[in-house]
């Protein structure tokens, strides 16, 4: 039997084989003129390459087969390979998908060059047409093109067979922190060009208006014909007529060999509007290739942004300005289709990022769908474009392995060739977490020669010595470095390169603590310029609970506000039956799988706000925190909030402030005069007109300053019936389903679990405190209850003084923690109410969730939310729903009955339907059963969140020290 020559090559075992028959990568975009082959294809899944045929079915292209119920499911690992073979070997059990469909080749393509483009295939692609072998390609995240001119007939039908092999030697360098999928995950196109065609176009546009366009010309029929030439037109506003047309090429602007022609076009645009992330100005460029008779053989369209990128000293400059990089890492992800995303999906991603203050994206850890860069150009983002290289599990061996040298250079160079004309791309990245070796240096050398206009970065090159000037990284881009280390480096006198963290502030679960502190250090320390939060998405896949399979495309409408509908849940590692996995570590984004922002997004929005306020010694300043834009695109309104419940509003006239400058304005309201006159002034800033990423009136930020510093007077004790306590010294009240007791534990966050704090709290027994009454003393109408709690870290003494006051009871509490309990989760009170209360109203920070080290984005005000909306639905249930700095709150029923609590000092408060043990016991939200009443926590101290699941823990100022803690609260029942 004749063997398939492509199978005989066994490319999945040969790292030296990166392609065969594949056309060179280029920046000529053919998407608009192509015939789409997306849709339903015949498909069969076989157990290994070359295995006998299986059962044919139908499958959607593009789309991972792991998401389409064909018998092979997704698997999540962080850095471990999902099988034990060492590089370059792949497992014998190797799912292989065979795709087939017929396509009618347009008759008008006769005599033309016909090209097949497969947008992405994981991980090895074999192409056959009408039974003929055409080519091979690796690299799961870049398109592969093949010339079909010799194997198809215009006017006839052709049978395409695309064979995709899941595992290969290439899998070892695609070991990224994401779901393992397989299949054809981006669009498949067929297009035709003239035999004489543009092979590549390189655009270089500088902020001073100078434009250079380098063109490569090829002829598929053989030698280049005589007399061809290239012209170009730049369309745009405010350009003079002579600037909109390039001159016909002179002889010195052309170089021609037998098979490759090179042409260069130049012009200068007067009064150019430079491109930045704040002002994404684009010009339409059309390049035309002409035959000798003047007819057009080929055309290429580009959107040009005029901008410069350079490193000067230890500063990264865009158009000569030192810009802050407020970035986020992004994967191609969708909860229903896995790796396959549409242009509308990507636009929605970027719109959310823009609305929450992000100005930069790192394409972790591979080149994203090309439509993403089109959108980044249009909407305004700085992009670190990252090559599809990560060898995390075997990084040290592969970095210097010459068998992988070609793969490294091939992946980096093809990314650069595809994406070089995008103004949004300001930095090239050699990949991620692959150690550092000769293979990186080889790839870096190619990039520096081909594109000297952009800097290069790679975390692995600089991680051993941030001051080393010889390594292949122009930027020091560490991961999760403590901010103290970053500041120390900047102040050391040894810094020679910009420091921009490629990953920081790990967003797993209830996280992103100390983000504001981090940015306060960045903004005040020359040499520090920002970083990229890890990451944008929680990669939860919508799963049918009844059979454990992905919901697939039919799942639209089965989620809302971060929550999966009944009968479904957000799946993470291990939920598809896999034994090798890394559990919920895939749920580490600032948005939920349905793109609902997590509370941490509001923290980032305020930190990155274009407008800030300061108030000092009676002077109110408005600060423009942008680098290139004035405040003209914004409008605003002043809001004053008083502690007594009063509020006032008035329109604000934003001053004419240049970028990075400030202006004084008048305080728009009278200052409070009484000692109880705490008041907060907020500037609600919105878009004045329609932006590409936000309609008119979209909220941009809520900067706030405190005007008055008074506090509310405590209620005065009154004569009346004594407080009721039972024989255990527990407060008895008709509105309480469970009495107030000491709480030292929280349902562990992901940071608590992975950082090791939760294990220590369990060892101490804080999750199951046993209360022992020591003394109950009655003095008049008051009652003092003393109790002790034995823990693995010593005995905690807790005292409550319960005193009747006007309208209720005042509870004064003291807890004494021994020195051995040097880091507990909280110190405070927990009680439960009877059923019926469904609304929480509070005066404090909000309306979204906030914690001691993540509260900069939650303004003080009078807020209200349904109790059922207070809990944040992190994919793995954990401590959530807290509100920081609460002074007063009320829980009420529809009939207006309820309770009010006055806090003696601003406190951390939560009111949900779940006890901490309920949250800790559940792996997914569909396992939670709401309690009828409210579980209320009043914390005198609450531990910060930090980011210890991957990175630094919270700062010492947000830890809870041993010793004596005191707090007071008043329970009032109308």
């Amino acid at each position: 039997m004749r063997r398939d020559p492509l199978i005989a090559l066994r490319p999945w075992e040969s790292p030296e084989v990166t392609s065969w028959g594949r056309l060179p990568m280029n920046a000529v975009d053919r998407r608009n003129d192509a015939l789409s082959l997306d849709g339903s294809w015949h498909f069969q899944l076989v157990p290994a390459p070359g295995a006998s045929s299986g059962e044919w079915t139908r499958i959607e292209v593009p789309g991972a087969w792991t998401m389409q119920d064909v018998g092979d499911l997704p698997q999540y690992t962080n850095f471990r390979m999902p099988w034990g073979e060492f590089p370059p070997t792949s497992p014998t059990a190797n799912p292989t998908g065979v795709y087939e469909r017929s396509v009618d080749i347009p008759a008008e393509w006769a005599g033309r060059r016909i090209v097949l483009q497969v947008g992405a295939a994981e991980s090895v692609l074999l192409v056959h047409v009408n039974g003929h072998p055409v080519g091979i390609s690796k690299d799961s995240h870049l398109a592969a093109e093949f010339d079909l001119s010799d194997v198809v007939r215009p006017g006839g039908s052709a049978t395409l067979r695309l064979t995709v092999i899941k595992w290969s030697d290439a899998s070892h360098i695609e070991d990224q922190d994401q779901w393992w999928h397989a299949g054809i995950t981006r669009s498949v196109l067929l297009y035709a060009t003239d035999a004489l065609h543009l092979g590549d176009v390189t655009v270089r546009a500088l902020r001073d208006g100078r434009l250079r366009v380098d063109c490569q010309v090829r002829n598929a029929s053989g030698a280049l014909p005589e007399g061809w030439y290239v012209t170009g037109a730049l369309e745009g506003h405010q350009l003079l007529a002579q600037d909109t047309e390039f001159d016909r090429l002179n002889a010195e602007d052309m170089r021609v060999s037998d098979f490759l022609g090179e042409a260069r076009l130049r012009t200068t645009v007067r009064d150019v509007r430079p491109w930045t992330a704040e002002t994404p100005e684009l010009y339409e460029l059309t390049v035309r290739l002409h035959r000798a008779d003047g007819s057009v053989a080929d055309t290429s369209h580009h959107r040009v942004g005029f901008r410069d990128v350079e490193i000067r000293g230890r500063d990264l400059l865009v158009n000569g300005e030192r810009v802050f990089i407020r970035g986020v890492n992004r994967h191609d992800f969708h909860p229903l289709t896995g790796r396959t995303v549409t242009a509308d999906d990507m636009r929605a991603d970027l719109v959310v990022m823009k609305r929450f203050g992000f100005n930069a994206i790192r394409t972790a850890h591979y080149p994203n769908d090309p439509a993403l860069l089109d959108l980044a150009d249009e909407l305004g983002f700085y992009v670190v474009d990252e090559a599809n290289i990560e060898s995390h599990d075997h990084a040290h061996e592969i970095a210097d392995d010459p068998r992988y040298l070609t793969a490294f250079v091939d992946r980096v160079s093809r990314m650069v060739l595809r994406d070089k004309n995008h103004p949004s791309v300001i930095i090239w990245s050699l990949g991620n977490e692959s150690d550092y070796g000769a293979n990186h240096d080889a790839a870096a050398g190619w990039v520096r020669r081909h594109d000297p206009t952009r800097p290069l970065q790679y975390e692995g090159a600089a991680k051993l010595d941030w001051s080393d000037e010889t390594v292949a990284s122009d930027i020091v881009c560490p991961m999760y470095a403590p901010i103290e280390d970053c500041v120390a480096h900047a102040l050391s006198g040894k810094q020679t390169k910009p420091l921009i963290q490629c990953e920081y502030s790990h967003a797993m679960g209830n996280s992103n603590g100390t983000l504001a502190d981090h940015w306060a250090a960045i903004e005040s320390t020359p040499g520090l310029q920002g970083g990229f939060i890890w990451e944008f998405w929680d990669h939860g896949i919508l799963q049918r609970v009844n059979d454990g399979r992905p919901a697939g495309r039919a799942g639209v409408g089965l989620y809302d506000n971060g929550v999966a509908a009944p009968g479904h849940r957000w799946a993470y590692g291990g939920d598809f039956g896999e034994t090798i996995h890394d559990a919920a570590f895939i749920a580490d984004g600032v948005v939920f799988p349905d793109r609902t922002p997590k509370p941490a997004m509001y923290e980032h929005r305020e930190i990155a706000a274009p407008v800030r306020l300061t108030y000092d010694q009676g002077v109110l300043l408005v600060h423009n925190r942008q680098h290139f834009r004035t405040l003209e695109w914004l409008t605003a309104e002043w809001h004053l909030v008083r502690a007594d419940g009063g509020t006032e509003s008035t329109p604000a006239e934003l001053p004419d402030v240049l970028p990075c400058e400030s202006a004084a304005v008048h305080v728009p309201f009278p200052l409070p005069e009484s000692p109880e006159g705490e008041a907060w002034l907020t500037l609600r800033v919105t878009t004045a007109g329609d932006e590409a990423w936000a309609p008119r009136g979209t909220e941009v930020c809520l900067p706030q300053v405190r005007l008055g510093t008074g506090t509310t007077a405590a209620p005065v004790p009154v004569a009346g019936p004594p407080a009721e306590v039972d024989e255990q010294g527990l407060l008895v009240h008709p509105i309480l389903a469970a009495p107030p007791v000491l709480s030292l534990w929280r349902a562990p966050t992901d940071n608590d679990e992975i950082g090791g704090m939760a294990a220590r709290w369990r060892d101490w027994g804080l999750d199951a405190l046993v209360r022992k009454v020591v003394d109950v003393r009655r003095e008049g109408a008051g009652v003092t209850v003393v109790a002790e709690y034995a823990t693995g870290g010593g005995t905690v003494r807790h005292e409550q003084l319960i005193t009747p006051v006007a309208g209720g009871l005042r509870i004064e509490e003291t807890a004494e923690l021994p020195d051995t309990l040097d880091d507990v989760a909280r110190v405070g009170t927990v009680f439960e109410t009877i059923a019926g209360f469904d609304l929480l109203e509070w005066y404090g920070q909000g309306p979204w969730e906030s914690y001691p080290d993540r509260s900069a984005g939650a303004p003080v005000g009078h807020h209200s939310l349904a109790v059922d909306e207070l809990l944040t639905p992190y994919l793995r249930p954990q401590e959530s729903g807290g509100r920081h700095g609460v002074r007063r709150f009320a829980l009420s029923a529809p009939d207006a009955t309820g309770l009010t609590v006055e806090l003696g000092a601003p406190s951390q408060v939560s009111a949900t339907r779940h006890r901490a043990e309920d949250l800790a016991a559940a792996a997914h939200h569909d396992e939670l059963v709401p309690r009828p009443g409210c579980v209320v926590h009043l914390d005198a101290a609450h531990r910060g969140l930090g980011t210890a699941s991957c990175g630094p823990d919270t700062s010492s100022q947000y830890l809870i020290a041993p010793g004596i803690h005191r707090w007071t609260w008043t329970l009032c029942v109308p």
Side-chain angles (χ1 to χ4, degrees), residues 276 278 318 321-326 359 382 624-630 658-660:
T276 72
E278 295 173 17
V318 175
E321 295 291 331
R322 180 179 184 269
V323 297
F324 285 123
I325 300 299
R326 303 183 185 277
N359 70 352
Y382 303 121
N624 181 357
R625 299 295 299 170
Q626 300 170 108
H627 300 290
F628 301 100
R629 209 172 184 186
T630 68
L658 295 175
C660 301

Side-chain angles (χ1 to χ4, degrees), residues 265 296 317 457 503 599 614 628 637 664 675 967:
L265 305 171
V296 176
L317 307 180
Q457 75 173 48
E503 295 178 22
T614 57
F628 301 100
E637 186 177 43
W967 65 104

Side-chain angles (χ1 to χ4, degrees), residues 527-692:
L528 306 186
Q529 233 174 308
F532 296 81
I533 288 176
W534 186 266
E535 62 162 308
F536 184 63
W537 284 105
D538 269 359
H539 291 226
I541 292 175
L542 189 67
Q543 183 185 50
R544 304 188 300 254
V545 175
N546 60 338
D547 61 11
R549 293 183 175 272
R553 286 173 164 83
V556 176
L558 292 177
Y559 49 78
D560 184 48
N561 291 325
V563 179
H568 298 78
R569 67 182 179 187
W570 299 124
Y572 49 74
D575 286 338
F576 294 108
E578 66 270 42
T579 55
I580 299 176
H581 65 84
D582 286 302
F585 207 73
I586 194 68
D588 50 8
V590 290
V591 300
F592 289 105
D594 65 351
R595 212 180 283 108
T596 298
K598 289 184 180 178
M601 287 284 271
Y602 293 93
E603 185 84 349
H604 186 272
R605 188 182 76 169
E606 221 53 50
I607 292 167
V611 180
R612 290 191 192 162
L613 298 178
T614 57
Y615 181 70
D616 185 35
Q617 298 182 346
V619 178
L620 179 62
L621 292 178
V622 173
H623 307 270
N624 181 357
R625 299 295 299 170
Q626 300 170 108
H627 300 290
F628 301 100
R629 209 172 184 186
T630 68
L631 303 183
E632 290 179 342
W633 66 285
L634 299 169
T635 189
E637 186 177 43
W638 293 110
H639 293 270
L640 184 71
V641 175
R642 296 191 181 90
D644 61 7
T647 60
E648 293 183 65
S649 299
T650 189
E653 183 175 341
L654 292 175
D656 185 13
V657 186
L658 295 175
C660 301
E661 295 191 2
S662 307
V665 296
H666 294 293
V667 176
F669 305 104
L671 295 178
E673 297 178 357
S674 68
E676 293 80 33
E678 181 187 66
W680 293 82
L681 180 65
T682 304
L683 185 65
R684 183 174 182 267
V685 180
T686 59
T687 54
D690 291 339
E691 299 287 321

Side-chain angles (χ1 to χ4, degrees), residues 78-416:
N78 174 19
F79 65 87
R80 295 180 294 171
M81 292 299 293
W83 25 265
E85 284 79 1
F86 284 81
T89 309
S90 55
T92 303
N94 194 350
T96 300
V98 182
Y99 298 76
E100 274 196 5
R101 68 162 289 172
S102 295
V103 58
D104 294 329
I105 308 300
E108 58 268 27
W109 287 3
R112 309 197 76 196
R113 168 178 169 264
I114 300 172
V115 178
L116 172 71
Q117 182 187 97
V118 180
E122 301 183 32
S123 69
V124 177
L125 171 68
L126 313 181
V127 179
H128 295 77
V129 179
N130 293 333
H132 299 284
V134 173
I136 298 168
S137 179
K138 298 180 185 177
D139 189 343
S140 295
H141 299 284
L142 283 175
E145 293 190 335
F146 304 90
D147 191 335
L148 308 187
S149 305
D150 295 336
V151 293
V152 299
R153 181 175 56 84
S157 180
T159 299
L160 306 183
R161 171 175 281 205
L162 306 180
T163 302
V164 180
I165 302 166
K166 183 173 185 178
W167 306 121
S168 70
D169 62 273
S171 301
H172 291 284
I173 57 172
E174 295 182 353
D175 182 20
Q176 289 110 347
D177 177 12
Q178 60 177 333
W179 290 99
W180 290 99
H181 286 294
I184 299 171
T185 55
R186 293 182 190 160
S187 290
V188 180
L189 307 174
L190 197 66
Y191 67 86
T193 72
D194 196 89
L196 181 68
H197 62 277
L198 290 165
D200 198 7
V201 175
T202 301
V203 179
R204 291 180 179 171
L206 304 180
R207 81 175 190 267
D208 62 5
R210 285 179 293 162
L211 177 66
R212 189 180 104 185
V213 182
D214 294 326
C215 306
Q216 288 187 353
V217 178
R218 298 180 184 273
N219 186 24
S221 300
L224 287 166
E226 295 289 336
W228 62 266
Y229 62 96
V230 177
T231 63
L234 188 72
E235 300 177 2
H237 300 292
Q238 300 177 359
L239 295 179
L240 300 178
Q242 61 266 35
D243 287 306
T244 64
E245 291 291 335
F246 294 103
D247 293 330
R248 184 164 168 158
L249 288 169
N250 297 318
E252 62 268 21
D253 293 315
M254 296 177 60
R255 292 191 301 167
V256 183
S257 66
D258 287 342
F259 302 103
L260 175 64
E262 296 179 353
R264 177 170 295 169
L265 305 171
R266 293 187 180 94
T267 194
T268 299
V269 178
R270 300 174 184 174
D271 300 321
V272 69
R273 301 184 308 278
W275 185 98
T276 72
E278 295 173 17
T279 58
E281 299 283 356
L282 295 173
Y283 294 77
E284 297 292 331
L285 168 68
T286 302
V287 177
R288 295 182 179 91
L289 170 62
H290 299 264
R291 304 180 186 91
D293 62 3
S295 59
V296 176
D298 201 3
T299 303
S300 185
H301 299 281
H302 304 268
R303 293 193 302 178
V304 176
F306 289 82
R307 61 105 184 93
D308 297 344
V309 180
E310 63 177 315
I311 291 177
R312 190 181 302 160
R314 55 182 185 171
D315 294 327
L316 173 70
L317 307 180
V318 175
N319 294 346
E321 295 291 331
R322 180 179 184 269
V323 297
F324 285 123
I325 300 299
R326 303 183 185 277
V328 65
N329 289 274
R330 180 195 175 275
H331 280 282
D332 282 340
F333 169 77
H334 193 281
L336 304 179
T337 57
R339 201 98 68 223
T340 299
V341 289
T342 67
D344 287 342
D345 293 330
M346 287 178 274
R347 180 178 289 274
D349 293 352
L350 269 58
V351 163
V352 170
M353 293 177 192
K354 198 80 175 176
R355 291 184 184 182
F356 283 89
F358 291 101
N359 70 352
I361 300 166
R362 176 175 173 235
T363 67
H365 298 295
Y366 45 81
N368 287 181
D369 188 290
L372 182 95
L373 297 182
D374 296 335
L375 291 164
D377 295 341
E378 174 191 334
L379 298 177
F381 285 92
Y382 303 121
V383 174
V384 173
D385 203 359
E386 189 152 275
N388 183 24
I389 299 173
E390 181 171 341
S391 56
H392 206 150
D393 202 11
H394 300 285
H396 183 67
E397 306 98 289
I398 289 177
D400 285 306
D401 189 336
R403 295 174 297 176
Y404 279 94
L405 172 62
T406 303
F408 274 56
V409 176
D410 183 68
R411 288 163 183 249
V412 173
S413 62
R414 293 179 74 236
M415 171 187 70
V416 172

Side-chain angles (χ1 to χ4, degrees), residues 940-973:
H942 195 105
R943 190 188 195 277
L945 300 169
T947 64
S949 55
C950 190
D953 192 7
T954 191
S955 301
S956 59
Q957 72 220 60
Y958 303 112
L959 299 178
I960 299 176
I964 297 175
H965 297 265
R966 294 184 173 87
W967 65 104
T968 301
W969 53 286
T970 304
L971 175 65
C972 303
V973 180

Side-chain angles (χ1 to χ4, degrees), residues 25 29 121 221 232 299 453 611 656 684 706 745 759 813 816 924 959:
M25 183 62 79
D29 188 354
S221 300
T299 303
T453 69
V611 180
D656 185 13
R684 183 174 182 267
R706 187 174 185 171
W745 184 69
E813 306 198 51
E816 185 173 358
H924 298 84
L959 299 178

